[in-house]
Amino acid sequence: SPRVLSGIQPTADSFHLGNYLGALRQWVALQDTHEAFYCVVDLHAITVDYEPAVLRRRCKVAAAQLLAMGVDPDRSTLFVQSQVPEHAELAWVLGSITGFGEAGRMTQFKDKSAKQGASAASVGLFTYPILQAADILLYTPEPGEGERDFQVPVGEDQRQHLELTRTLAQRFNHRFGTTFVVPEAYIPQGAAKIADLQEPLSKMSKSSSSPQGILDVLEESGPLRKKIMRSVTDTGTEVRYDPEEKPGVTNLLRIYSALAQTPVTDLEQRYAGSGYGQFKKDLAALVIDTFTPIRERTEKLLADERDLDRILARGAARAGEVARGTMDVVRDRVGFLGRG
Ligand code: TYM
């Protein structure tokens, strides 16, 4: 059957609006049509500085938020990456068919390592996209005739990692025999790159310079409203879509359009002549209406962690079964002895 896989890092106390619109909303929708595997990627999170106790907590909060957004554990497999050791095992195999120069061309590595000073960056940060390819390819549908649908819902910033994943799948298939369905990036129109509210030319990101530019899913209505009202707009008063001249307003229009499922042109008409104030007020109400129930459900799930732990244990068991099935084939193809 068609499958979908995606992952998210537990690197902050809350997911943000960029994660939600760029990826997580699609995770929820794709459960209706696909067998879904969704993963909190803690192995990826340890490639930069972190605190073990904070990481453990954030994994739980991440899983709770995904459930609160509508990831349904009865229909989808929700799990934590480190609980399925095959991720690291396949990453090793794929690393051995990845060129050093090929990995070095990944722009996210270049950006992140530049921030830390190139020699301070870990080897794990360098091989990060290979682990991501393993995350995906472990859950390949059976290759063959008929259905070969394998989707990976992500934001624009993951496009290059998905390209590498496709290259590695094809290379492995060519070298060792067809094993993987080549996955496709499932990137939404319009909301694939949500910008920072204070710096509309940069993407909204956990590592952004100021919290004023980020709308957190678990944030209270007061601060959410304040951040939106104080978001950077552009000279003039017109609510008009214009990425060159009006990047701030354009970002807000994209957010509004995605949340209200209304075309941008309709919004431009609705706010013609009314200035930025009313537009921002209505947008704030929309964001608050979206995030408040998610925050409340997340808090409830975290109040008693037994259910959450049970769901994650079940997810890890199911994901492990699929992952071991794939690794049995991979191990055989690449010439390893059977599992002792
Ligand atoms: P991460 O944890 O940084 O982000 C999770 C998802 O949110 C998307 N996203 C955005 N979309 C639109 N606008 C933004 N400003 C924005 N910021 C983040 C990301 O594109 C992503 O889809 N390497 C991945 C995690 C990963 C993964 C995987 C993804 C690990 N293994 C396997 C898919 C499949 C990452 O760091 O995402």
Side-chain angles (χ1 to χ4, degrees):
S1 68
R3 278 193 180 163
V4 57
L5 175 129
S6 198
I8 186 159
Q9 294 199 70
T11 42
D13 293 325
S14 170
F15 296 145
H16 58 65
L17 182 70
N19 300 137
Y20 179 73
L21 290 178
L24 303 178
R25 214 168 55 148
Q26 285 66 253
W27 292 24
V28 175
L30 284 164
Q31 299 177 110
D32 296 339
T33 47
H34 289 68
E35 187 188 356
F37 296 86
Y38 295 133
C39 181
V40 176
V41 296
D42 52 348
L43 298 181
H44 282 105
I46 68 169
T47 59
V48 293
D49 249 350
Y50 77 102
E51 277 302 322
V54 174
L55 177 66
R56 191 172 293 124
R57 177 74 196 153
R58 283 176 172 173
C59 273
K60 297 262 182 106
V61 179
Q65 283 175 90
L66 294 171
L67 293 165
M69 285 176 185
V71 169
D72 174 359
D74 291 327
R75 288 189 294 159
S76 299
T77 301
L78 174 66
F79 66 104
V80 175
Q81 185 188 33
S82 63
Q83 295 190 315
V84 182
E86 284 74 15
H87 288 248
E89 188 182 4
L90 181 58
W92 182 262
V93 173
L94 295 176
S96 305
I97 60 164
T98 309
F100 196 84
E102 195 170 35
R105 282 193 291 279
M106 296 292 113
T107 56
Q108 218 163 53
F109 170 74
K110 288 198 261 185
D111 292 349
K112 287 193 186 171
S113 59
K115 260 183 214 160
Q116 303 176 29
S119 58
S122 68
V123 173
L125 191 65
F126 184 68
T127 55
Y128 175 118
I130 302 167
L131 178 60
Q132 180 166 352
D135 295 342
I136 298 168
L137 298 179
L138 273 178
Y139 301 92
T140 177
E142 193 105 20
E145 306 300 307
E147 295 210 88
R148 299 169 60 90
D149 188 18
F150 189 18
Q151 303 290 333
V152 184
V154 286
E156 179 63 40
D157 61 352
Q158 296 303 311
R159 191 184 287 279
Q160 195 188 29
H161 290 169
L162 260 292
E163 266 317 307
L164 177 69
T165 304
R166 291 167 57 84
T167 303
L168 295 179
Q170 282 157 342
R171 189 173 298 155
F172 188 99
N173 287 346
H174 188 251
R175 169 90 172 76
F176 299 109
T178 303
T179 306
F180 301 119
V181 172
V182 180
E184 280 170 39
Y186 184 94
I187 298 177
Q189 290 252 316
K193 190 178 175 186
I194 300 300
D196 185 290
L197 298 189
Q198 291 299 318
E199 296 172 39
L201 297 177
S202 328
K203 77 168 179 190
M204 187 179 286
S205 155
K206 302 170 244 224
S207 55
S208 149
S209 48
S210 138
Q212 298 315 310
I214 306 171
L215 298 173
D216 277 330
V217 172
L218 298 183
E219 209 160 11
E220 304 275 341
S221 358
L224 285 173
R225 185 174 294 111
K226 214 175 266 170
K227 287 180 187 181
I228 293 170
M229 295 311 291
R230 291 179 187 168
S231 63
V232 166
T233 27
D234 314 284
T235 49
T237 55
E238 240 183 317
V239 177
R240 181 163 53 82
Y241 189 90
D242 184 342
E244 298 289 307
E245 298 292 319
K246 288 172 162 285
V249 175
T250 297
N251 185 44
L252 298 182
L253 273 167
R254 285 189 182 131
I255 294 169
Y256 198 137
S257 166
L259 286 175
Q261 319 231 37
T262 304
V264 164
T265 46
D266 289 12
L267 297 174
E268 287 174 323
Q269 271 170 21
R270 189 183 308 170
Y271 292 100
S274 71
Y276 295 151
Q278 188 61 43
F279 171 63
K280 286 180 165 178
K281 231 190 225 165
D282 293 350
L283 175 60
L286 203 53
V287 171
I288 289 164
D289 283 351
T290 307
F291 284 178
T292 303
I294 298 175
R295 172 168 48 80
E296 290 172 352
R297 281 196 291 269
T298 303
E299 283 163 3
K300 214 175 267 166
L301 281 157
L302 290 170
D304 175 0
E305 289 181 17
R306 278 173 301 181
D307 275 346
L308 190 59
D309 291 344
R310 244 191 316 266
I311 289 169
L312 291 178
R314 196 149 53 93
R318 166 76 188 132
E321 228 171 83
V322 175
R324 279 189 297 278
T326 305
M327 279 315 293
D328 284 343
V329 179
V330 168
R331 294 172 56 95
D332 179 59
R333 296 264 153 97
V334 303
F336 293 164
L337 303 184
R339 291 178 203 274

